[in-house]
Amino acid sequence: SAPEAKRQYRKLSMQHHPDRHANNAQRQQAANDCMTWLNWSYQTVLRGRAAGAPPGETPPDALMAG
């Protein structure tokens, strides 16, 4: 449901926000990557296309691996 997705998004974004790991560059980068994926996933769910990437859109992992 949308309220549950929002609640989980907020919980995970607080946990994985890069600013929470400002003293460790490696963890900060990992948190930034996690937030990129988390933001993309949340927007995908909000658009009602949770089954996969919307047409013409690439998930963040595919962009980073390329």
Side-chain angles (χ1 to χ4, degrees):
S1 70
E4 180 63 22
K6 185 175 185 176
R7 190 172 17 260
Q8 289 300 318
Y9 169 78
R10 287 183 175 189
K11 177 183 172 184
L12 291 171
S13 64
M14 286 295 293
Q15 181 180 351
H16 296 288
H17 197 280
D19 289 348
R20 294 183 62 99
H21 306 284
N23 296 331
N24 186 326
Q26 193 173 22
R27 280 190 169 180
Q28 190 175 27
Q29 182 59 46
N32 191 40
D33 294 344
C34 184
M35 284 300 295
T36 300
W37 177 254
L38 183 61
N39 289 332
W40 181 85
S41 299
Y42 183 62
Q43 291 301 316
T44 301
V45 169
L46 288 182
R47 286 192 301 259
R49 298 178 178 160
E57 190 170 326
T58 307
D61 283 347
L63 290 173
M64 288 187 257

